[in-house]
Amino acid sequence: MTNPADVIGWSSSAILLVTLIRQIVKDQQDGKKEGASRWLFAGQTLASIGFVVYSIMAKNWVFIVTNSLILTTSVIGFVLQVHRKGRG
């Protein structure tokens, strides 16, 4: 039987990740040179690393997966922004 808390957690994770990925795609399509601040990516990356470590320590798979994927979106967003600025 599925735990209702897990259903809420995984659903929320999916919504958040779709939102973040959509923002990265939109930023790429807009082609604006400036994009988001590098401080935003640095802060998000550091916070995500901390949340991944915390989630592992808490043994919470919803948060381990979600925070790992959020960390991945941060790194991808940063790389794409650097690449876009290099073209500009």
Side-chain angles (χ1 to χ4, degrees):
M1 185 158 176
T2 304
N3 179 347
D6 285 343
V7 171
I8 292 169
W10 287 115
S11 298
S12 299
S13 174
I15 291 167
L16 176 59
L17 291 167
V18 166
T19 303
L20 291 171
I21 291 167
R22 176 64 188 123
Q23 186 60 47
I24 290 171
V25 170
K26 182 180 180 301
D27 287 349
Q28 280 300 112
Q29 290 172 342
D30 286 350
K32 293 179 182 175
K33 185 178 174 187
E34 65 277 356
S37 163
R38 287 185 182 197
W39 285 104
L40 173 67
F41 290 113
Q44 181 183 350
T45 299
L46 290 173
S48 292
I49 290 168
F51 282 129
V52 169
V53 171
Y54 169 79
S55 300
I56 291 168
M57 293 171 72
K59 298 177 184 166
N60 185 312
W61 279 104
V62 171
F63 288 133
I64 292 168
V65 172
T66 301
N67 289 313
S68 296
L69 292 172
I70 290 171
L71 175 59
T72 302
T73 64
S74 178
V75 171
I76 290 170
F78 178 74
V79 168
L80 290 173
Q81 182 188 47
V82 169
H83 178 71
R84 184 173 53 243
K85 284 185 177 185
R87 291 185 313 194

